[in-house]
Each structure stands twice: as C-alpha cells, then as structure tokens.
Amino acid sequence: MPKKEAVQAVPMRVLKIATCSSLSGRSQLTYHVGCNAEGEIQLKVAANSSTGQFNADWIPLSMVEQLLSDYPKEKPLSSAVLRPLYRHKSSNSPSFAFGILLAEGLVKKAGTEKDSGYQLGDIDAFKQAITALITSDTNLSTAIDPTDTPASAKSKRNAKGSA
C-alpha cells in the first residue's frame, strides 16, 4: 500500500491580529486576517477566551463572499450561512467566524431587535483596507509561533484543562 504524503501547510502572511466578542457575548475571540502567496485574503479564529472549541483553519474570503452573495436577499443573514465552510468540524466555528465578519463590517445588524438577524455590510471597504496591508508588506507571521497549528493548539488546551 502506498505511503500517504503529509499535507503541507500553505504559508500564510498574517496581516492583522484582532479581538472581537463572540455573537453570544460570552467570550472574546482572537482572529487573524491574512493572505497566501497569491494575495488571496483569508480569515481564521485563533483563540477563544472561553471553553468553546473551534476550527482554526484559514477560510478564504472569496468563499465567504460567495456564500453571502448566494444567500436570499430577502432573508436576514445568520451564522448558518457559513456552515458549508465547516462541515464535520466544530459546531461553534460558523458562529465564531460570523463574529469576525461582524467585527470587520462585512455584515451588520439588520435591526434593533435581538433576533432581527444581519445584513450585508461593506465588503469592498474591508477588501480595500486589507489590500493596503498586503501592498505595505505587513507581515505579523513572525510574531506567531509556527508550531502552533490547529492540532497543537488543541493539545495545548487539553493540557491546560488537565492541570
């Protein structure tokens, strides 16, 4: 039987590290905005101040845009729109990623009522701001531990919980 080749992680240039509240408001999320060698903008949840688990994979902004644009315009948006990006992964991930979209202005609250949902924000303004970081050669990757992959982050959390 042929030996499986290891999947190589795609190098990502981190352009922005920020925090935002989760949609529930019960935790603070640290997230990264980055780009790959082709300049494609990507997002990821990097940390959660609470115990909720999440998937720390990078998600391409182009896929997020596609899901948002395909969603029926007459319906309010919710984090459920991001579920296809996280199939068979943590159920918190779509909500946490949606929190990033809200923090960055890609979506905004649709009304003043609690359950009125969300609507599209200014995606172009976000892309312009991130493109400026790309062209300015911003690179926060060196400030991040390169061994802190999603798998090792999970084992670090488990080790903390057992201490």
Side-chain angles (χ1 to χ4, degrees):
M1 186 153 146
K3 196 176 190 182
K4 284 188 177 180
E5 289 186 35
V7 177
Q8 295 295 320
V10 176
M12 200 65 62
R13 193 169 116 209
V14 178
L15 306 167
K16 180 177 182 176
I17 300 172
T19 60
C20 66
S21 181
S22 64
L23 292 179
S24 69
R26 291 185 291 228
S27 67
Q28 286 292 307
L29 306 171
T30 300
Y31 64 93
H32 297 173
V33 179
C35 70
N36 60 17
E38 290 78 35
E40 297 169 324
I41 300 169
Q42 311 233 354
L43 309 165
K44 83 170 190 169
V45 178
N48 176 17
S49 67
S50 190
T51 58
Q53 293 191 7
F54 59 90
N55 180 278
D57 290 346
W58 288 97
I59 55 170
L61 180 62
S62 60
M63 293 176 88
V64 171
E65 273 188 288
Q66 186 66 50
L67 291 170
L68 293 174
S69 67
D70 288 350
Y71 197 78
K73 305 286 184 246
E74 66 279 359
K75 292 176 129 182
L77 289 165
S78 74
S79 63
V81 73
L82 300 180
R83 281 189 190 138
L85 298 174
Y86 296 103
R87 285 213 167 100
H88 310 293
K89 300 188 181 190
S90 170
S91 61
N92 294 326
S93 297
S95 293
F96 287 175
F98 203 81
I100 296 170
L101 301 184
L102 181 62
E104 290 293 337
L106 297 158
V107 297
K108 57 187 178 181
K109 291 189 180 210
T112 56
E113 295 178 30
K114 184 179 179 192
D115 295 327
S116 56
Y118 300 87
Q119 61 189 22
L120 274 179
D122 194 345
I123 295 173
D124 288 333
F126 172 75
K127 287 167 56 172
Q128 287 176 344
I130 299 306
T131 299
L133 292 174
I134 293 170
T135 57
S136 73
D137 289 331
T138 298
N139 188 356
L140 304 176
S141 301
T142 55
I144 298 167
D145 180 358
T147 62
D148 195 13
T149 61
S152 67
K154 184 177 180 184
S155 24
K156 285 180 185 175
R157 281 193 303 271
N158 288 343
K160 282 182 185 175
S162 62

